[in-house]
């Protein structure tokens, strides 16, 4: 692990109108770490994740990835929002996997994984295809490369979505409740892919309700509620011996 955190949030605030969703989030995610965010619905976890790649803009505080401010540049003591094209360049290094798979329905699994490297990075078809085939193999879908999303189960679609995010060779992967839309028997295959990624040293921030995964694979765990970090620490400590009443109440319902 390097000295500089991969993600650093300093007093991050986000509001939608009168609704104050994030109320001063401070946290650091180290290089190579699997960082799990848990908490009740509406606690701000997904909003925070979306702020990391500037899908949502922060209203206060600072967010940086690998030492670079996200979405802004600093001049003197003022912050100026980056142009869309500059934000797009930052996003190349950050892979995101959503609850809903968001695959292109008119493209095969292989086409979905090849698309961003072709369009965004301008790679040749041969290079993009070789990597896409390798990644689909890695997520256990080597035999489904020619299938369209409608011909795949939810779990298979989500594994294609993970391969698609990896095709851009990101330095950070964000997972927004990647298993919550899946039938229970399909969850394990997706978590296995995420475990494999964790073992390979990928820096990952995972918003999840899968407490077993957080306990087993996570390096750090943050419990959020009401837009603040209530408790954080080693996942086994927080889940096994929560210190805060709000954490205890939440875990008593989900464990």
């Amino acid at each position: 692990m390097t000295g500089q955190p991969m993600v650093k949030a300093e007093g991050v605030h986000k509001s939608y109108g009168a609704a104050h969703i994030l109320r001063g989030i401070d946290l650091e995610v180290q290089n190579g770490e699997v960082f799990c965010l848990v908490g009740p619905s509406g606690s701000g976890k997904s909003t925070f994740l979306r702020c990391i790649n500037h899908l949502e803009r922060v209203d206060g505080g600072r967010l940086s990835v690998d030492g670079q401010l996200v979405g802004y540049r600093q001049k003197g003591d003022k912050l100026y929002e980056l142009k869309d094209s500059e934000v797009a360049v930052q996003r190349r290094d950050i892979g995101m996997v959503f609850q809903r798979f968001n695959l292109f329905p008119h493209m095969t699994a292989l086409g979905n994984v090849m698309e961003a490297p072709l369009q965004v990075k301008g790679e040749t078809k041969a290079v993009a295809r070789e990597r896409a085939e390798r990644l689909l193999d890695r997520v256990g879908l080597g035999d489904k490369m020619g299938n369209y999303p409608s011909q795949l189960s939810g779990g298979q679609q989500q594994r294609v979505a993970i391969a698609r995010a990896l095709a851009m060779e990101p330095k950070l992967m964000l997972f927004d409740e990647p298993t919550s839309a899946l039938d229970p028997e399909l969850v394990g295959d997706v978590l296995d892919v995420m475990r494999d990624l964790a073992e390979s040293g990928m820096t990952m921030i995972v918003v999840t309700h899968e407490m077993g995964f957080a306990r087993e694979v996570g390096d750090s765990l943050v419990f959020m509620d009401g837009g603040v970090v209530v408790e954080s620490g080693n996942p086994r400590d927080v889940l096994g011996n929560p210190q805060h009443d709000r954490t205890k109440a939440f875990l008593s319902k989900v464990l």
Side-chain angles (χ1 to χ4, degrees):
M1 294 200 184
T2 57
Q4 174 173 279
M6 178 60 80
V7 178
K8 184 172 179 139
E10 303 168 271
V12 171
H13 285 259
K14 173 71 189 170
S15 298
Y16 299 106
H20 199 166
I21 307 297
L22 300 177
R23 300 168 175 263
I25 300 291
D26 294 295
L27 55 80
E28 289 188 2
V29 180
Q30 303 307 323
N31 203 2
E33 188 171 27
V34 179
F35 193 96
C36 296
L37 283 172
V38 304
S41 274
S43 58
K45 310 178 302 293
S46 293
T47 300
F48 177 67
L49 211 60
R50 292 169 68 83
C51 287
I52 293 173
N53 64 359
H54 207 59
L55 287 173
E56 304 285 356
R57 34 191 301 216
V58 302
D59 298 322
R62 299 158 64 93
L63 248 178
S64 50
V65 171
D66 207 15
Q68 249 195 333
L69 267 179
V70 172
Y72 296 88
R73 89 159 44 81
Q74 184 159 2
K75 226 174 178 179
D77 54 1
K78 279 212 166 118
L79 293 181
Y80 297 91
E81 191 160 13
L82 297 178
K83 295 198 205 77
D84 287 349
S85 58
E86 296 171 299
V87 172
V89 170
Q90 286 190 334
R91 273 201 202 119
R92 287 184 193 183
D93 290 331
I94 304 172
M96 184 148 185
V97 177
F98 300 88
Q99 230 170 316
R100 300 278 167 199
F101 327 118
N102 299 355
L103 298 177
F104 297 117
H106 61 289
M107 289 184 183
T108 61
L110 187 67
N112 265 283
V113 179
M114 287 173 64
E115 182 69 1
L118 288 174
Q119 300 300 333
V120 180
K121 284 185 161 178
E123 286 185 354
T124 65
K125 265 197 166 152
V127 168
R129 185 185 183 102
E130 189 275 326
R131 185 189 303 110
E133 289 177 350
R134 191 174 72 243
L135 287 169
L136 285 166
D137 262 338
R138 181 176 178 184
V139 300
L141 294 174
D143 58 340
K144 303 284 186 195
M145 292 188 195
N147 289 41
Y148 289 88
S150 60
Q151 300 169 314
L152 300 171
S153 72
Q156 289 169 333
Q157 289 185 62
Q158 191 60 294
R159 284 184 278 153
V160 173
I162 293 172
R164 179 180 62 179
L166 291 172
M168 289 295 285
E169 302 186 310
K171 54 189 169 190
L172 171 66
M173 283 283 281
L174 309 175
F175 292 88
D176 189 8
E177 298 188 18
T179 57
S180 64
L182 301 180
D183 293 333
E185 69 270 21
L186 302 176
V187 168
D189 290 338
V190 173
L191 292 180
D192 284 345
V193 169
M194 292 169 66
R195 262 186 209 99
D196 170 62
L197 264 185
E199 282 166 16
S200 74
M202 174 63 77
T203 310
M204 298 160 60
I205 304 179
V206 185
V207 172
T208 186
H209 294 296
E210 301 289 338
M211 299 301 156
F213 175 84
R215 182 189 286 117
E216 178 198 339
V217 183
D219 298 302
S220 300
L221 182 139
V222 157
F223 170 66
M224 280 176 70
D225 194 13
V228 298
V229 172
V230 176
E231 190 164 337
S232 62
N234 179 296
R236 288 153 290 289
D237 297 339
V238 176
L239 296 175
N241 186 24
Q243 300 301 304
H244 198 288
D245 287 344
R246 275 153 89 189
T247 320
K248 289 175 187 168
F250 172 74
L251 291 176
S252 71
K253 295 188 182 93
V254 299
L255 286 179

